[in-house]
Amino acid sequence: MTTTREETAPMPAVSYTAQWMAAARALETERDDALYRDPLARALAEPDGFRLIDRYQGGGLLPFISIRTRYLDDAIGAVLGEGKVEQVVLIAAGMDTRAFRLDWPAGVGVYEVDHGPLIAEKRRRLDALGAVPRADRREVPADLTGAWLPDLERAGFDRTKPTLWVAEALTFFLTEAQAGELLELLASASAPGSTLAFDILGRALLRSPFSKPFLDTLAADGTPWIFGSDEPEVFVPAHGWTITDLKEPGEPAPGRGAGRTSCSPVAGAGRTVSG
């Protein structure tokens, strides 16, 4: 969904986003009051992740990534705790390490979908670290701008079984029409009882003078944030999902008081209407 311009080692599309998100997770991990721990993140942020964190200062970026990560971690745990879902799909997984750092019930398959070269580079780094997944982890190289569900099904995905879809930091880079099409595509492949956990930017953030320098820098690097909605409670049901949980990151962060908050995008989780 994004492009890169690296001076060191060539990397595939989305790598700028993947690297600075990994760097943000590494910085959170190293806090005494960390919302979560991702010991693999620092190695996955190389070569440019920390430089990009400095470059993209502003917009409440680091607090938001930390809160969103914890929110989605908790959402995954809650859905899996119901015991009804056997497959989890991480869309545009990037350098996400949930398959390695979360506790997974036996029998749950975790599918990581992303651009093939990025998946290969991630595998190389994880192998060098001796990382061992805690779930049945399956890599799905796919072109997310094309028809990628067949790639997912060839990897073992079964659309007749309830699914937990996780789309972290994905809708930002889409047009409104593309974001709606994504939700509808996932709904079309979701058995009753399926859940979608994801985040949507607030439209007001995209228009805010406070955010403009940050957003202009993203655009200059070829990774513009495009879509946002101030009414996710309208947008999400219009595209095949019923909202079951909706949180503003400006609220107190999970597991602690009001000190760790962010005035950034909306995070939400939904369930298929048929569920």
Side-chain angles (χ1 to χ4, degrees):
M1 304 306 300
T2 60
T3 58
T4 69
R5 294 187 319 213
E6 297 185 10
E7 300 85 355
T8 52
M11 289 285 287
V14 198
S15 68
Y16 261 25
T17 301
Q19 288 180 68
W20 60 259
M21 284 182 60
R25 290 192 289 264
L27 293 175
E28 178 66 28
T29 297
E30 292 159 9
R31 293 178 60 108
D32 290 338
D33 62 344
L35 292 176
Y36 55 87
R37 304 285 179 184
D38 185 350
L40 300 171
R42 180 164 282 275
L44 296 179
E46 299 297 337
D48 286 315
F50 296 99
R51 177 183 65 80
L52 291 167
I53 287 291
D54 291 338
R55 178 166 170 76
Y56 298 149
Q57 290 184 39
L61 177 65
L62 290 178
F64 171 62
I65 292 176
S66 295
I67 293 168
R68 177 183 66 197
T69 301
R70 175 60 186 269
Y71 174 83
L72 292 175
D73 285 358
D74 288 348
I76 292 169
V79 171
L80 293 179
E82 297 175 357
K84 300 176 182 178
V85 168
E86 299 178 13
Q87 52 190 12
V88 178
V89 182
L90 307 179
I91 309 167
M95 294 299 185
D96 182 284
T97 65
R98 288 187 171 94
F100 297 83
R101 64 179 181 81
L102 297 183
D103 293 325
W104 296 90
V108 173
V110 180
Y111 297 86
E112 296 189 9
V113 186
D114 215 321
H115 188 51
L118 185 145
I119 286 179
E121 173 65 13
K122 180 178 179 180
R123 184 192 316 124
R124 184 189 69 78
R125 298 188 192 190
L126 290 171
D127 287 348
L129 294 169
V132 178
R134 298 182 179 183
D136 177 11
R137 174 177 176 264
R138 303 185 186 186
E139 299 174 341
V140 185
D143 178 3
L144 288 167
T145 66
W148 55 272
L149 282 179
D151 297 308
L152 182 62
E153 290 179 303
R154 281 190 289 271
F157 173 81
D158 186 346
R159 65 173 64 212
T160 68
K161 295 181 179 180
T163 303
L164 170 57
W165 307 92
V166 181
E168 183 175 20
L170 176 57
T171 61
F172 307 179
F173 303 101
L174 307 177
T175 65
E176 181 172 352
Q178 289 170 334
E181 290 168 1
L182 173 65
L183 266 61
E184 292 170 7
L185 177 68
L186 300 182
S188 73
S190 294
S194 296
T195 299
L196 167 62
F198 72 115
D199 52 331
I200 298 178
L201 286 172
R203 183 67 182 169
L205 180 143
L206 296 176
R207 296 192 295 258
S208 169
F210 171 76
S211 306
K212 190 175 187 306
F214 165 64
L215 296 173
D216 286 349
T217 304
L218 287 177
D221 284 351
T223 59
W225 285 4
I226 300 171
F227 169 65
S229 173
D230 292 332
E231 296 182 313
E233 69 279 5
V234 176
F235 179 80
V236 173
H239 296 286
W241 297 85
T242 298
I243 292 177
T244 59
D245 188 46
L246 182 64
K247 293 290 191 299
E248 289 272 3
E251 300 172 14
R256 59 195 65 243
R260 300 289 302 283
T261 62
S262 171
C263 53
S264 284
V266 174
R271 191 180 303 274
T272 52
V273 175
S274 57

